[in-house]
Amino acid sequence: MELKVDEIQLPDVIRFNYEELKAELAETMLFYETVVYTDEQIKDAKADRAKLNKLKAALKDEKIKRKKEYLKPFEDFEKKINEIIEIIDKPVALIDTQIKDFEEKEKAAKRQEIGAYWTSIEHPDWLTLPKIFYDGWLKKSYSMKQIKSDIDAWVERVNTEIATLEKLDEFSFEAIDEYKRTLDL
């Protein structure tokens, strides 16, 4: 499948009396930039403002009209391409769902394997797997060998830190209690 687009003839430059209009307006606008209206001339000022706004509106309207003409072929092309994309999106979504389901099954199996390892090792009764669980372990790139090493390191660290806290003369019980809650020495 391949999109084949015929060479399109881009529209020529839109020609209009740009230089003439620009020169005439620049000269005329000099007058308006320097004019000072008296209280008696406010009616004239309003008329001048209306005339300039009318000219500006006419220019904008012509610009919008031309833009619509030039964009009409593109808008038709865009509509057709979007229809084709919608046709593709449905099977992509179905495939995506299957991939995500497969990946979730793999993660669930890995989570079970991690849980089985956790129950097979010695660790303090109060220390639970969810307390030290790292979601990165479920990534495909994280090997079970590394996960086991991480878990072993956690258990060793916890045991060492508990032993350190038990040596405190005062507040040992409170410190251990807080440590069990936060795992922060």
Side-chain angles (χ1 to χ4, degrees):
M1 283 178 265
E2 176 183 343
L3 173 65
K4 296 178 184 175
V5 179
D6 293 338
E7 257 329 287
I8 56 171
Q9 183 65 38
L10 292 176
D12 209 1
V13 175
I14 300 175
R15 291 181 177 79
F16 66 104
N17 60 337
Y18 172 71
E19 293 298 332
E20 177 188 336
L21 188 59
K22 182 178 175 186
E24 185 181 331
L25 281 173
E27 187 178 313
T28 306
M29 293 307 118
L30 279 176
F31 167 76
Y32 287 115
E33 289 174 6
T34 59
V35 70
V36 177
Y37 295 96
T38 63
D39 292 347
E40 294 81 33
Q41 295 173 315
I42 290 300
K43 188 175 183 181
D44 294 336
K46 288 181 179 180
D48 288 346
R49 181 181 64 186
K51 183 171 72 171
L52 293 174
N53 281 335
K54 185 176 179 182
L55 174 61
K56 189 168 76 171
L59 290 169
K60 284 183 176 181
D61 290 347
E62 187 63 26
K63 177 183 74 169
I64 290 169
K65 176 183 167 192
R66 298 298 173 166
K67 185 175 182 178
K68 284 181 181 177
E69 289 174 8
Y70 274 73
L71 286 178
K72 193 167 181 80
F74 174 76
E75 288 169 352
D76 180 56
F77 171 75
E78 182 179 39
K79 179 183 167 201
K80 289 175 181 174
I81 289 294
N82 286 340
E83 286 176 15
I84 292 171
I85 288 171
E86 284 180 28
I87 293 170
I88 296 169
D89 280 345
K90 185 177 179 181
V92 166
L94 293 171
I95 293 169
D96 189 47
T97 300
Q98 291 178 35
I99 290 170
K100 286 181 180 172
D101 288 348
F102 175 77
E103 289 172 346
E104 285 304 313
K105 286 177 188 173
E106 281 186 327
K107 285 181 180 181
K110 197 167 192 181
R111 189 181 297 272
Q112 278 189 320
E113 194 175 350
I114 293 168
Y117 180 71
W118 178 256
T119 56
S120 73
I121 63 169
E122 281 191 38
H123 55 79
D125 292 338
W126 58 268
L127 184 61
T128 62
L129 179 59
K131 198 157 193 142
I132 66 162
F133 196 87
Y134 169 57
D135 287 333
W137 290 342
L138 298 177
K139 291 181 182 175
K140 231 177 192 170
S141 59
Y142 221 109
S143 72
M144 271 311 291
K145 181 179 177 183
Q146 182 60 46
I147 295 168
K148 289 175 181 180
S149 174
D150 288 358
I151 291 172
D152 293 343
W154 259 109
V155 171
E156 185 177 331
R157 181 183 134 210
V158 166
N159 286 333
T160 302
E161 291 176 351
I162 286 289
T164 301
L165 291 173
E166 287 173 343
K167 292 178 185 173
L168 291 175
D169 291 334
E170 287 186 56
F171 307 110
S172 170
F173 178 78
E174 292 84 355
I176 292 172
D177 213 30
E178 180 67 12
Y179 179 80
K180 288 178 180 180
R181 193 177 63 74
T182 64
L183 291 182
D184 188 1
L185 191 59

